[in-house]
Amino acid sequence: MPSPIPGQSATVAFVVPYFDDGLAWRRECLRLTLASLEQQTDPHWCAYVVNDASPAADTSEFLKSLAASTVGQVTVLHTQDHGGAGRARNVAIEAAHRDGHALLAYLDADDLAHPRRVAAVRAMFAAQPELDFAYSDIEFIDEHGKPWESNQLLPGLHLLNEQQRLPKLRGRERWIEQAVERDNIAIPSAMNLRTSLALQIPFPIVPFCEDVATLFRYLGSGAVIDHVPGIPTRYRVPRTGGSASRKQSGGVDAFNHLRCANEREGLEKAIAMAVARGAASERLGQSVLCRYLIRIGRTVTADGSPELGRSQLRQAQELDPETFAQYATAVESRETGAAAMVP
């Protein structure tokens, strides 16, 4: 394996945001998450656990004790106020940079890293000096660690699972495919990247879907992407209680409204980045945004927000009638009053 850049470590630094509201299962999940790091076949890892101003009174003491008992270097950081997972990750990214770590692996506090994740990530980035970002597949597990059947997943998660079967995104300038053809390619816990890219493009301070918005910007910056085979992250989705994000946002419809707003902002910034560096014209950017609106309209409709879906389609038609006519179905065109524009 080639030597790291002078002054930088070959260690993979895991970024773990943590919010403790006093529920016992959160602490047990974090223990299991850190245990999955202890089980790595390659010991060259460390972890930054960020306490995002948790309201549970003894969170600091719990994290200090857990870090001390974990076999491996675990650094506990604290935010002054609750800013969400995105800002917590930014805090850890900056700390990892200060400590000289060139590679990052995101891992949420209830997910599990594959035992060979560190080994595979280190090998891939060492073999591809131009590589900026690498993602793995995911496996869905419930609160007890048992696997989900695909047909039992919520529509959005079922779609993500199905899209894992599509050809993997590799190389440069794959932001258009990500925006118009994929609902997502990876949850944060399956993302690995160079610290330099994470510093250049920090997470936005928004409560939900900050991961997709940031992924758009990673790819829009011209980053080189690849897929790491054979190391699926185990993504925990409880069978009881429903989606935490949807509950915290006020329900499915409220979550999907935030999703549409936050993802669109991220994509618009990605388009602006691509245009600024000459990788896309403004006309192409407009077409990509239109196609994204069509796709997200279909996605949120399937997820239980049909009126919001129609709104996204109307915005797509107003933005770029020509592209809309090319990519919308006849039914979608009728719903927006654009039936006459369908070729």
Side-chain angles (χ1 to χ4, degrees):
M1 179 177 295
S3 300
I5 298 172
Q8 291 188 323
S9 168
T11 298
V12 174
F14 282 88
V15 171
V16 186
Y18 181 69
F19 181 75
D20 193 333
D21 53 6
L23 297 177
W25 68 267
R26 295 195 189 280
R27 298 189 174 189
E28 181 57 25
C29 282
L30 180 59
R31 289 189 183 95
L32 293 172
T33 296
L34 294 184
S36 76
L37 300 186
E38 292 180 309
Q39 296 163 11
Q40 292 298 304
T41 60
D42 185 330
H44 293 87
W45 65 268
C46 66
Y48 294 85
V49 178
V50 184
N51 172 23
D52 188 20
S54 299
D58 61 341
T59 301
S60 295
E61 291 76 12
F62 161 70
L63 292 176
K64 181 179 180 181
S65 174
L66 182 60
S69 65
T70 301
V71 180
Q73 181 183 341
V74 178
T75 301
V76 178
L77 305 170
H78 302 273
T79 63
Q80 294 299 312
D81 54 89
H82 180 57
R87 192 179 70 172
R89 293 191 193 101
N90 291 341
V91 170
I93 290 164
E94 291 169 1
H97 170 65
R98 288 194 300 269
D99 292 342
H101 299 303
L103 296 178
L104 302 174
Y106 298 150
L107 185 63
D108 285 351
D110 54 353
D111 297 334
L112 305 177
H114 190 281
R116 291 191 295 104
R117 180 169 178 178
V118 171
V121 167
R122 291 182 71 224
M124 175 168 278
F125 278 90
Q128 302 183 47
E130 77 288 353
L131 183 63
D132 298 300
F133 177 93
Y135 69 103
S136 70
D137 291 330
I138 60 176
E139 294 176 349
F140 296 88
I141 59 173
D142 64 16
E143 59 267 52
H144 306 295
K146 296 181 179 179
W148 279 81
E149 295 294 332
S150 179
N151 60 5
Q152 297 177 326
L153 293 167
L154 292 169
L157 298 178
H158 178 74
L159 178 60
L160 173 58
N161 194 44
E162 289 297 307
Q163 290 186 346
Q164 290 192 112
R165 297 182 173 89
L166 297 175
K168 306 304 182 183
L169 295 187
R170 293 185 168 91
R172 201 184 298 275
E173 306 302 349
R174 308 309 299 271
W175 57 278
I176 296 177
E177 290 170 78
Q178 166 62 34
V180 306
E181 296 179 3
R182 316 282 176 113
D183 183 58
N184 197 0
I185 58 170
I187 59 169
S189 292
M191 297 181 183
N192 314 277
L193 67 161
R194 295 196 187 275
T195 307
S196 55
L197 177 62
L199 282 172
Q200 175 192 349
I201 302 174
F203 283 89
I205 311 305
V206 295
F208 304 106
C209 300
E210 79 289 340
D211 53 339
V212 178
T214 303
L215 179 57
F216 283 152
R217 292 161 61 223
Y218 286 161
L219 301 187
S221 73
V224 176
I225 185 175
D226 203 348
H227 173 261
V228 195
I231 57 163
T233 292
R234 303 187 76 192
Y235 177 31
R236 196 180 301 277
V237 179
R239 293 181 187 271
T240 59
S243 165
S245 294
R246 284 163 169 75
K247 289 176 64 177
Q248 292 166 9
S249 63
V252 171
D253 203 52
F255 172 82
N256 282 330
H257 273 84
L258 289 168
R259 175 185 188 179
C260 288
N262 295 340
E263 287 189 11
R264 177 172 180 169
E265 182 177 1
L267 178 56
E268 288 178 335
K269 289 180 178 179
I271 291 170
M273 295 167 75
V275 171
R277 57 189 179 80
S281 65
E282 291 187 1
R283 178 69 189 90
L284 175 59
Q286 177 177 286
S287 177
V288 169
L289 181 56
C290 176
R291 292 178 64 188
Y292 163 77
L293 290 169
I294 295 172
R295 180 185 64 73
I296 196 65
R298 294 168 180 167
T299 300
V300 298
T301 295
D303 199 34
S305 299
E307 182 50 45
L308 176 62
R310 286 188 288 270
S311 171
Q312 300 305 295
L313 292 172
R314 287 192 293 270
Q315 291 178 49
Q317 196 278 329
E318 293 168 1
L319 174 71
D320 188 342
E322 181 180 347
T323 298
F324 184 83
Q326 182 177 357
Y327 289 97
T329 66
V331 171
E332 290 167 342
S333 295
R334 286 196 297 272
E335 289 184 346
T336 61
M341 301 193 65
V342 179

